[in-house]
Amino acid sequence: YLGKKTVLCNDTPAFIANRIGVVSMAKIFNLAHELKLSISDVDKLTGTAIGRPKSGTFRLTDLVGLDTAIFVITDLKKNCLHDEIIQELQLPTFINFLINHKWFGNKSGQGFFLKTDEKDSTGKTKFLSLDLQNHEYNLDTKSNLESIKIAKQIEDLPKRLKALIKLQDTGAILIRKLLGFLFAYASQRIPESSNSIESIDEAMRNGFGWELGPFETWDVIGFTEGIQLIEAVSQKPAAWVIKMIETGKNQFYKFEEQISYVLDPLSGTYNRQ
């Protein structure tokens, strides 16, 4: 018994999880560089703070291998010619720096993080992290971001997400920009990658270990708030989401008399899960 679950999807490049997950990873690379955040802070902000594995983004990339991630991105650019977001995607200079040095992560001995022979006061191995601006390895300094402090104080994920997007520090800006991008991109994968909201959420939960899929997260944030996040990053939701607005619908999932329903994006009706 493997404990796995099948998810129905269409035969498209990278299917669902890698299509959304790897493109989101590339977006985080750009946001980290744009906002001048340390990779350790970004890993905290894109890990358990928003209901994802504690490896976050950069540690996950070191684990998977930067060369593998770049191969997927390159393949998507080649095979998804009608995906405007992928075609416009440009990777920051630190990616080329690592690739040129063949520093792909764990498999090559270093990547975004570099393991040292030193131990800290608790006996744990010290790691250096890459400065994304000057491409030098440094010891991490303690974060002073309010968003990271608040994330540790709120145990409930929905409450935590709602609190984080209301903050004004650089970490909260990253989260808002990331979610706005994610909501737009996930919505545009219907009907290309799948006809089902539920399948997309299941693929991200089971494939990437997210606690909530994109549409479950959107419901938690609030439908109108999600639209605002999309508009703030100059993206557009898919046509079926626009139709939701026009017909007064504001939930992807709803519960009535202890029964769970999910929206069929093609018909605009709610079906029992």
Side-chain angles (χ1 to χ4, degrees):
Y1 180 69
L2 295 176
K4 301 293 183 180
K5 185 172 184 177
T6 57
V7 177
L8 291 178
C9 64
N10 297 326
D11 186 5
T12 55
F15 301 111
I16 297 174
N18 281 327
R19 179 74 170 271
I20 294 174
V22 173
V23 172
S24 294
M25 176 188 287
K27 182 63 177 178
I28 293 169
F29 291 161
N30 281 311
L31 288 173
H33 189 259
E34 171 194 329
L35 298 171
K36 295 181 170 59
L37 286 163
S38 74
I39 63 175
S40 295
D41 281 352
V42 171
D43 276 355
K44 292 182 180 75
L45 293 163
T46 60
T48 54
I50 58 173
R52 298 183 185 180
K54 64 180 181 180
S55 54
T57 300
F58 292 101
R59 284 196 182 278
L60 176 62
T61 306
D62 269 2
L63 178 63
V64 172
L66 180 60
D67 54 337
T68 301
I70 296 305
F71 177 83
V72 175
I73 293 170
T74 302
D75 190 66
L76 288 174
K77 275 182 171 286
K78 177 182 175 182
N79 292 293
C80 302
L81 299 178
H82 300 294
D83 186 329
E84 294 181 4
I85 287 178
I86 286 178
Q87 294 306 318
E88 293 173 0
L89 188 63
Q90 299 295 325
L91 295 173
T93 54
F94 62 78
I95 296 296
N96 287 332
F97 170 78
L98 291 173
I99 292 294
N100 290 339
H101 283 80
K102 299 187 185 319
W103 293 341
F104 303 138
N106 296 1
K107 67 173 71 174
S108 60
Q110 69 188 92
F112 290 110
F113 293 92
L114 173 62
K115 184 178 181 180
T116 72
D117 295 326
E118 298 180 41
K119 306 285 185 180
D120 63 17
S121 59
T122 65
K124 292 182 179 179
T125 300
K126 287 185 178 181
F127 283 84
L128 303 179
S129 57
L130 185 71
D131 185 309
L132 301 183
Q133 307 301 320
N134 61 28
H135 304 166
E136 295 178 355
Y137 286 97
N138 301 304
L139 278 171
D140 285 338
T141 56
K142 188 174 181 179
S143 176
N144 60 0
L145 287 174
E146 182 185 11
S147 50
I148 291 178
K149 295 175 184 176
I150 293 296
K152 292 178 180 178
Q153 296 170 9
I154 304 174
E155 185 174 347
D156 182 73
L157 178 58
K159 290 181 180 178
R160 188 161 69 239
L161 288 169
K162 290 177 182 178
L164 288 172
I165 64 170
K166 291 179 181 177
L167 299 177
Q168 298 304 317
D169 71 349
T170 313
I173 292 172
L174 178 138
I175 291 172
R176 285 198 295 272
K177 286 178 176 266
L178 172 61
L179 291 180
F181 174 86
L182 172 66
F183 295 160
Y185 194 68
S187 75
Q188 292 168 20
R189 303 285 57 78
I190 296 174
E192 181 197 359
S193 298
S194 173
N195 296 332
S196 166
I197 288 170
E198 194 174 11
S199 288
I200 288 180
D201 282 344
E202 284 184 343
M204 299 317 300
R205 288 198 312 271
N206 290 284
F208 272 66
W210 294 6
E211 288 186 46
L212 298 173
F215 299 105
E216 292 170 315
T217 303
W218 195 339
D219 267 350
V220 163
I221 296 295
F223 183 74
T224 301
E225 289 78 4
I227 294 294
Q228 291 170 349
L229 291 178
I230 291 173
E231 293 173 345
V233 292
S234 302
Q235 294 291 340
K236 293 181 180 179
W240 64 269
V241 177
I242 301 297
K243 193 170 182 180
M244 284 181 68
I245 299 172
E246 295 171 348
T247 56
K249 294 183 176 66
N250 60 5
Q251 292 174 284
F252 300 104
Y253 297 88
K254 66 178 183 178
F255 302 89
E256 294 179 353
E257 299 179 352
Q258 298 184 329
I259 297 175
S260 176
Y261 296 87
V262 60
L263 180 74
D264 179 338
L266 302 186
S267 69
T269 59
Y270 288 92
N271 298 325
R272 187 168 179 169
Q273 284 185 275

